[in-house]
Amino acid sequence: MQSVLIIDDDPKLLKMLQRTLTYENLNVLTAANGLEALPLVAAHSPGLIIVDWMMPKMDGLTFVQKLRDEDNRSMILMLTARDAIENRVEGLESGADDYLVKPFAPAELVARVHAMLRRVESRPENQKVTYADLSLDPSTREARRGDNPLSLTVTEFNLLHLLLRHPRQVLERRQILNGVWGYDFGGDDNVLEIYIGYLRKKLEAGGGPRLIQTVRGVGYALREE
């Protein structure tokens, strides 16, 4: 089931949108402002985020910019009463994918939500990825090295998926932590080394050559020696 996060400080509108999209068989999360929404994004990785522009604590524009600065790939639909062209441009240039002016018809919102979620499903990161003798299919949550299936935890799967989407590229430690554990990750950085170790042990169990290379002082790269 697709997850949608709705962020709005109007409790009546928030409840209406939650009810409407739940009826569309979507898993709906809600938050009253951008600051409250950040841990939900990190924990649930929603495919679509619907965010109001004007909110206390952290407004929609700041929230969107923060997500894009951290390379978050969720689709974003911005809601606002501001209908001037320059406002639309500002919202889209901040990183939003679409823009809907209040008041709006619920039917139009639903149509846009479904259209944007279809774009999420067609993205390359939701398609099978391969490198060398490694393959990973996000749609079935299956991973293999050669003919051997890999039994991976959720975190191991997400870490390998990130590396496979960037073969031969050097990924910085912070980039990997942000991409796998979330941009508000505040734990011990050694967790990355631990999970790299877990992955290497599983990938090399059959005697295959090492594919996850350490780039000292920088991070890691998925590439053949």
Side-chain angles (χ1 to χ4, degrees):
M1 182 184 292
Q2 290 274 19
S3 291
V4 177
L5 171 60
I6 308 171
I7 313 166
D8 200 300
D9 62 330
D10 182 340
K12 290 184 179 179
L13 179 61
L14 197 63
K15 186 174 182 179
M16 183 275 287
L17 293 177
Q18 181 181 27
R19 183 172 60 249
T20 298
L21 295 182
T22 299
Y23 185 76
E24 295 296 316
N25 198 33
L26 297 170
N27 179 38
V28 181
L29 309 165
T30 62
N33 57 68
L35 197 61
E36 184 180 311
L38 291 177
L40 294 176
V41 175
H44 299 279
S45 300
L48 172 63
I49 299 172
I50 302 172
V51 57
D52 186 34
W53 185 322
M54 301 299 295
M55 296 181 294
K57 296 185 179 179
M58 181 183 288
D59 62 50
L61 203 64
T62 302
F63 172 82
V64 172
Q65 290 169 338
K66 182 172 180 60
L67 259 59
R68 295 315 190 211
D69 286 345
E70 300 290 348
D71 200 30
N72 181 278
R73 302 294 302 279
S74 297
M75 296 291 287
I76 297 176
L77 173 61
M78 183 169 283
L79 305 179
T80 180
R82 300 181 175 187
D83 60 356
I85 293 298
E86 57 267 26
N87 296 138
R88 295 174 187 245
V89 170
E90 185 179 6
L92 294 171
E93 287 187 343
S94 73
D97 298 285
D98 203 355
Y99 192 104
L100 187 58
V101 176
K102 297 178 180 181
F104 52 83
E108 180 181 5
L109 175 81
V110 168
R112 293 201 190 200
V113 165
H114 284 307
M116 295 176 79
L117 289 175
R118 284 195 296 270
R119 289 163 62 187
V120 171
E121 291 172 352
S122 66
R123 280 178 167 176
E125 59 260 38
N126 294 313
Q127 299 172 3
K128 186 176 181 178
V129 286
T130 61
Y131 177 72
D133 59 349
L134 274 179
S135 64
L136 182 149
D137 190 340
S139 64
T140 60
R141 303 293 292 185
E142 293 177 336
R144 307 182 71 86
R145 181 157 196 187
D147 296 327
N148 301 316
L150 299 170
S151 178
L152 304 178
T153 66
V154 172
T155 300
E156 291 167 352
F157 186 95
N158 293 340
L159 176 56
L160 183 59
H161 191 197
L162 177 64
L163 294 169
L164 274 166
R165 295 205 311 271
H166 304 277
R168 297 179 295 277
Q169 296 181 30
V170 178
L171 301 181
E172 296 181 359
R173 292 172 50 82
R174 182 53 52 183
Q175 182 181 357
I176 299 173
L177 286 169
N178 289 342
V180 177
W181 281 270
Y183 49 81
D184 63 343
F185 176 74
D188 188 346
D189 283 3
N190 289 332
V191 71
L192 178 54
E193 280 73 23
I194 292 170
Y195 274 91
I196 289 291
Y198 291 160
L199 266 184
R200 281 174 171 164
K201 184 176 181 180
K202 293 182 178 182
L203 294 179
E204 299 165 19
R210 175 157 294 182
L211 290 176
I212 302 177
Q213 313 297 340
T214 300
V215 182
R216 295 193 179 280
V218 182
Y220 298 92
L222 184 70
R223 61 189 181 201
E224 296 176 288
E225 292 181 300

